[in-house]
């Protein structure tokens, strides 16, 4: 039987320490991924970005919108795949 434990170092984020300090808008990557998809999509609408980040941001919005459209807006991005 497999059991899951939360890593004390990353607090369950499964991200390298450097990655955990990167900000997306006003949120850290960890905080952003903990949001439900619908809230994450809404949060991206308030961000202003430099021109070189417009394409990746639009792609992120498109994918989040798709998840909301198919009824998965309540899920968070940090949810484990088997769940």
């Amino acid at each position: 039987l497999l059991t899951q434990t939360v890593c004390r170092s990353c607090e369950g984020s499964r991200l390298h320490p450097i990655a955990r300090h990167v900000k997306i808008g006003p949120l850290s990557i960890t905080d952003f991924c903990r949001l439900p998809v619908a809230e994450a999509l809404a949060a991206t609408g308030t961000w202003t970005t430099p021109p070189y980040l417009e394409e990746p941001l639009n792609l992120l919005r498109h994918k989040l919108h798709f998840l909301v459209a198919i009824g998965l807006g309540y899920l968070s991005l940090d949810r484990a795949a088997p769940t």
Side-chain angles (χ1 to χ4, degrees), residues 1-82:
L1 184 63
L2 296 176
T3 59
Q4 291 184 352
T5 58
V6 177
C7 172
R8 284 185 256 143
S9 175
C10 72
E11 298 173 350
S13 70
R14 300 182 304 270
L15 294 172
H16 188 275
I18 294 172
R20 289 194 311 268
H21 289 89
V22 172
K23 297 280 188 175
I24 300 177
L27 302 170
S28 69
I29 290 176
T30 305
D31 293 336
F32 180 75
C33 289
R34 287 184 180 146
L35 293 174
V37 169
E39 288 181 33
L41 177 58
T44 66
T46 64
W47 298 347
T48 56
T49 58
Y52 65 90
L53 290 179
E54 281 301 317
E55 186 176 341
L57 181 57
N58 287 335
L59 181 61
L60 174 63
R61 287 177 178 144
H62 177 75
K63 291 182 181 294
L64 292 172
H65 185 268
F66 172 76
L67 291 172
V68 170
I70 62 170
L72 298 178
Y74 64 93
L75 295 176
S76 62
L77 298 174
D78 67 347
R79 187 177 179 130

